[in-house]
Amino acid sequence: MYEKDGEKYFVVDGHIHFWDGSDENCKNKYGHQFIECFYGYSSALTPPEYLWDYKKYQKYTEADVMHDVFEIGYADHAILNSVHLWDFFHHGFDREADAWALTQNAGGKITMNGTWDARDGDEGIKQLEADAKRFDLQGVKIYTAAWKGDSRGFKMSDPEAYRYLEKCQELGIKNIHVHKGPTLTPLDKDAFDVSDIDHCATDFQDLNFIVEHCGLPRLEDFCWIATQEANVYAGLSVVMPFIHTRPHYFGDVIGELLYWLDEDRLIFSSDYALWQPKWLIEKFVDFNYFPDQTEYPELTTDVKKKILGLNVAKLYPKTITVPEQFQLSAAEPVLQP
Amino acid sequence: MTAQMTSLDAEVMSALSTVVDPELDEPITDLGFVRSIILDDLGVEVHLRLPTSFCSPNFAYLMASDAMDALRLMPGGGVVRVMLDDHHDSDKINLGLATDAGYRGTFGNEAHEDLEELRATFKRKAHIASMERSCMQMLQRGTWTLEELPLLELRDLPDCAKTKSLVRRRAAIGLPTAPDSRVLVDGDGVAIPERDVPLRLRMAATTRRSIEGNAHFCRGLLATRYAGSQEIDAITGPVITDLRSGA
């Protein structure tokens, strides 16, 4: 819970990690480059007082997560999302066993999502069934850019991916978090193309597609698709930290998303440990558009409350209950003459 | 001799400044992507660098091969070598460039077609962003209204950098550049009907902001990646080494 100026905000961090990018876990130079690249993102957009040293960043502890996300990070709940990246890391980037232990130790404050890879065939389907049962999955995180042997990624519109989406429907896994990143199949297409989300969101109307990083760097393509597909959500991981280094640009992105989508489909997330949630939340609650940003829908306290927690809470009803005191006050009823 | 050397440096930089990051729509020289230039008796060697090791290899290849082409057009440049440093596909791309393997030869099975379609997509986006800047300029001046905008022609635009850049981007995607050409057109040059103008202009603004924002992000990442390295930051420009025997 975060409180400022008499307003109380129920906070759900929509996307955190518990990764292992240590040297011991890196399988090859790509693993090293991957975690170095993450650290670059973190360093470029973090206020200096919040930046970790590289060793800690590579592998942090359960106590770090509890402290940073919940004790000082204001979160009432967090969604733990991560992926294996077997081609880069010996024991998986997401350290699944540790993540599950963290989830169980967190006293109901963490929802852990699963993952699948469309190229894993029947084995993968079986694994998904087992994971759904074991972790009581409500969601999955998909990383279409994962390498697998000669393949450098897949698309959410591939028939193989549809098989997994059908399985998600069957298992009641409603929330499909998709990281849109540099998939390379085929290499010559726009590497960050979000058009595959257009296809699967149309064909799977009862699933929710949370596009992490809201399609950046293809914000315009994402907005165009999300305008037409009501089950597409904007995950604000990576967008949030611009509030510090590029607040005007941050205002533009939030404003554009509110303009093309609506206030019910934006979801706060820190992408921890890429960024620390504490300062993101504080700055977001204080944030206002710049004087020249006049064409965007208002960023009211109610809108901020939705973005910071109420929107995503609706997607995870099994594990997240919003206490009455945090609900938005109902609008005054309009009296009929 | 000195004058001659200086002029070759300048020529190399000038040639490289014609190479544009297709996505960010800015010259690689302004973005700090040129890491170093070595001049020797054989010719010119240029090293490029990018903001992350996972930048899209197709864009990386486009810029590196464009740099190669631009330098080869330079008279007196000698043998041209272009290398991409610190990228997950550096070895593959550098081998492809050194052997003139072309895009498909470089990437083999991963590449299905050539890169022209991808390049065209980003040229169209660059045009849309530029068109929006020009249209907004006219609206802000109060000389044109939103309703009148479909009639706006190139000759109505002021003689300024925005207009020049619009004309250049139109030419790049084969749109007419005659004075009586309509400004507000889609990627195929078809005039946008009045009823669609507000929506299309609004989406064009989103496109422009997206491109501008990406450029900020990439500059920030590049500066972080190479901060504290012995070499250069993005501001001071590439390290130029002259090994020519006359030097």
Side-chain angles (χ1 to χ4, degrees):
Chain A
M1 192 265 283
Y2 182 62
E3 188 167 3
K4 182 81 189 277
D5 301 330
E7 295 286 349
K8 288 179 177 165
Y9 300 79
F10 184 80
V11 177
V12 180
D13 198 326
H15 186 356
I16 65 166
H17 297 265
F18 192 42
W19 67 56
D20 180 1
S22 63
D23 292 342
E24 299 74 47
N25 196 24
C26 287
K27 207 171 183 174
N28 45 38
K29 70 169 181 176
Y30 305 115
H32 287 285
Q33 286 175 343
F34 188 85
I35 187 71
E36 279 163 17
C37 186
F38 263 41
Y39 192 62
Y41 272 52
S42 191
S43 310
L45 302 180
T46 295
E49 65 270 31
Y50 285 96
L51 191 63
W52 287 350
D53 68 65
Y54 182 60
K55 277 282 163 210
K56 178 171 179 183
Y57 189 85
Q58 284 180 291
K59 189 177 184 181
Y60 43 97
T61 66
E62 191 172 309
D64 289 325
V65 177
M66 295 310 290
H67 179 259
D68 295 333
V69 177
F70 300 104
E71 285 163 34
I72 64 163
Y74 308 116
D76 296 279
H77 199 96
I79 311 293
L80 181 58
N81 274 328
S82 211
V83 289
H84 308 313
L85 303 175
W86 294 122
D87 278 30
F88 293 175
F89 298 97
H90 292 294
H91 308 294
F93 188 58
D94 60 338
R95 53 201 288 197
E96 186 179 81
D98 294 346
W100 182 233
L102 165 68
T103 304
Q104 289 176 309
N105 294 337
K109 285 178 176 237
I110 294 180
T111 300
M112 189 176 101
N113 280 337
T115 185
W116 47 255
D117 183 319
R119 299 160 297 187
D120 284 348
D122 292 342
E123 281 301 306
I125 293 277
K126 271 187 218 149
Q127 186 65 48
L128 178 61
E129 286 170 342
D131 289 349
K133 202 167 169 187
R134 181 173 171 212
F135 305 130
D136 197 14
L137 295 180
Q138 299 172 75
V140 285
K141 165 78 185 291
I142 310 301
Y143 196 76
T144 58
W147 293 12
K148 185 180 166 70
D150 287 341
S151 161
R152 301 274 190 94
F154 61 92
K155 288 195 168 292
M156 291 299 286
S157 51
D158 290 344
E160 294 79 15
Y162 269 34
R163 234 187 114 197
Y164 280 80
L165 289 170
E166 283 158 11
K167 184 51 78 177
C168 283
Q169 280 180 314
E170 185 191 316
L171 296 168
I173 300 171
K174 298 282 244 185
N175 302 315
I176 317 294
H177 296 250
V178 190
H179 169 101
K180 289 307 297 182
T183 56
L184 304 180
T185 50
L187 189 70
D188 17 270
K189 297 291 180 219
D190 174 6
F192 291 87
D193 192 357
V194 285
S195 61
D196 53 341
I197 298 296
D198 199 2
H199 293 280
C200 62
T202 304
D203 291 337
F204 295 88
Q205 299 275 345
D206 55 337
L207 299 179
N208 307 308
F209 292 89
I210 301 100
V211 177
E212 298 299 344
H213 329 316
C214 63
L216 290 183
R218 304 280 177 273
L219 181 66
E220 70 279 29
D221 295 342
F222 171 76
C223 287
W224 190 248
I225 288 166
T227 300
Q228 295 159 52
E229 307 294 340
N231 54 339
V232 171
Y233 291 73
L236 296 178
S237 48
V238 182
V239 176
M240 290 306 305
F242 283 107
I243 202 168
H244 165 62
T245 43
R246 299 269 175 193
H248 192 278
Y249 174 62
F250 176 80
D252 278 338
V253 176
I254 292 290
E256 292 290 339
L257 291 170
L258 286 172
Y259 180 90
W260 291 104
L261 282 74
D262 54 62
E263 61 195 54
D264 297 323
R265 290 195 280 148
L266 272 59
I267 291 174
F268 162 75
S269 56
S270 66
D271 226 347
Y272 180 84
L274 274 148
W275 293 282
Q276 297 280 320
K278 179 176 160 64
W279 65 270
L280 295 176
I281 294 162
E282 290 167 356
K283 280 178 187 274
F284 181 64
V285 167
D286 291 343
F287 184 82
N288 281 308
Y289 293 124
F290 285 74
D292 65 311
Q293 294 176 317
T294 53
E295 63 188 288
Y296 300 131
E298 265 193 282
L299 194 49
T300 62
T301 302
D302 279 1
V303 172
K304 287 177 180 172
K305 286 180 179 177
K306 286 184 172 186
I307 293 173
L308 277 177
L310 302 181
N311 287 345
V312 71
K314 285 187 188 157
L315 302 183
Y316 286 89
K318 270 194 205 173
T319 43
I320 309 178
T321 309
V322 182
E324 196 52 42
Q325 57 163 324
F326 295 108
Q327 298 287 2
L328 298 183
S329 47
E332 293 290 318
V334 180
L335 295 174
Q336 296 296 329
Chain B
M1 213 56 198
T2 312
Q4 201 191 338
M5 281 189 295
T6 314
S7 101
L8 187 55
D9 296 358
E11 275 178 46
V12 170
M13 280 303 277
S14 163
L16 291 172
S17 73
T18 64
V19 179
V20 172
D21 179 315
E23 172 168 36
L24 307 180
D25 193 32
E26 288 190 45
I28 57 170
T29 43
D30 291 357
L31 289 163
F33 290 177
V34 182
R35 181 184 213 163
S36 58
I37 297 168
I38 302 164
L39 308 174
D40 58 24
D41 289 334
L42 214 60
V44 183
E45 179 170 318
V46 169
H47 287 255
L48 303 178
R49 60 176 186 178
L50 292 171
T52 73
S53 52
F54 280 95
C55 286
S56 292
N58 43 13
F59 286 101
Y61 178 83
L62 267 180
M63 285 184 269
S65 60
D66 285 358
M68 192 93 132
D69 293 345
L71 292 167
R72 279 177 174 162
L73 285 176
M74 205 178 61
V79 177
V80 172
R81 286 151 292 161
V82 173
M83 317 273 275
L84 175 66
D85 295 348
D86 307 335
H87 189 272
H88 73 73
D89 266 343
S90 279
D91 294 347
K92 208 178 249 187
I93 289 173
N94 290 337
L95 183 67
L97 291 169
T99 55
D100 268 326
Y103 171 66
R104 297 190 65 183
T106 300
F107 287 104
N109 287 339
E110 292 171 46
H112 291 197
E113 293 154 31
D114 65 28
L115 283 175
E116 289 317 304
E117 195 189 322
L118 179 72
R119 195 197 286 272
T121 301
F122 286 89
K123 281 183 178 172
R124 277 197 294 273
K125 287 190 183 211
H127 164 253
I128 286 170
S130 192
M131 179 181 81
E132 193 265 353
R133 283 187 201 105
S134 288
C135 288
M136 289 314 286
Q137 184 184 26
M138 303 314 275
L139 291 178
Q140 275 153 11
R141 286 176 170 209
T143 43
W144 287 74
T145 66
L146 198 61
E147 293 72 34
E148 294 163 346
L149 220 47
L151 301 174
L152 184 70
E153 294 176 352
L154 285 177
R155 65 176 148 212
D156 300 319
L157 298 175
D159 182 20
C160 66
K162 280 194 179 101
T163 304
K164 288 196 180 85
S165 120
L166 175 65
V167 170
R168 207 165 49 239
R169 287 181 175 83
R170 287 179 70 111
I173 56 170
L175 294 181
T177 53
D180 63 346
S181 310
R182 295 278 175 90
V183 172
L184 201 56
V185 292
D186 64 17
D188 300 319
V190 178
I192 294 172
E194 195 187 322
R195 66 174 184 282
D196 293 345
V197 166
L199 185 71
R200 295 290 283 269
L201 205 54
R202 189 62 191 71
M203 191 31 97
T206 309
T207 304
R208 171 177 59 76
R209 288 188 188 112
S210 179
I211 295 172
E212 290 169 353
N214 294 340
H216 291 319
F217 190 40
C218 292
R219 280 176 203 276
L221 284 175
L222 185 78
T224 305
R225 189 177 190 199
Y226 290 101
S229 72
Q230 291 272 306
E231 317 154 46
I232 31 139
D233 50 46
I235 303 149
T236 44
V239 175
I240 300 174
T241 313
D242 195 339
L243 301 174
R244 285 176 293 171
S245 47

